[in-house]
Amino acid sequence: MMADNGRVLIIDGDESACTECRRTLELGGFRVASADSAEQALERIQQESFDVALLDASMAGLPAMEALKRMKQASPNTAIIITSPNPTISSAVESMRLGAHDYLPKPFAPDALVRLVERAA
């Protein structure tokens, strides 16, 4: 039987990135769910309990910082990690100020993702 390291919600509009993250985290012993928009993620996070959420900062729709604020209100105990293909110091600082657990520039190594999510969970 595999270890259960916790539940992770991946929020990313890029299906291939989502699939890759899911595969990596499931191999790391996590139960993984996904949402392809911040709005869908907010619905899921209000209905289910997640230890960690990976939120892509470059998604269309609700801006990532607004999504982060709403997710922290809806589920204060979920550690939210912002992932960004266009990382900037100002966006990293803002996300941490708004309650993000961490900030991960894309692309990232699979083992770095698993270690970060393990720490957050």
Side-chain angles (χ1 to χ4, degrees):
M1 192 170 135
M2 273 183 81
D4 179 7
N5 290 330
R7 287 190 46 117
V8 180
L9 178 62
I10 300 168
I11 307 116
D12 198 320
D14 178 345
E15 201 176 317
S16 64
C18 210
T19 302
E20 194 60 37
C21 275
R22 173 186 288 274
R23 197 174 298 128
T24 298
L25 291 170
E26 285 175 344
L27 286 171
F30 295 94
R31 287 173 293 143
V32 182
S34 60
D36 58 14
S37 70
E39 292 81 2
Q40 187 184 37
L42 282 163
E43 282 176 31
R44 298 248 356 215
I45 217 164
Q46 288 165 343
Q47 297 164 356
E48 302 170 58
S49 169
F50 293 97
D51 300 299
V52 181
L54 292 173
L55 174 61
D56 178 35
S58 65
M59 256 185 327
L62 190 65
M65 295 306 144
E66 183 58 32
L68 170 61
K69 259 190 280 194
R70 291 187 194 179
M71 288 170 68
K72 286 307 286 181
Q73 286 168 342
S75 182
N77 295 328
T78 300
I80 299 172
I81 298 169
I82 302 292
T83 62
S84 178
N86 309 306
T88 64
I89 291 172
S90 63
S91 66
V93 168
E94 184 183 7
S95 63
M96 301 306 269
R97 189 178 57 77
L98 292 174
H101 181 272
D102 217 322
Y103 187 91
L104 185 62
K106 286 181 172 182
F108 41 78
D111 58 329
L113 174 65
V114 171
R115 276 197 312 272
L116 184 59
V117 173
E118 281 174 346
R119 276 200 312 267

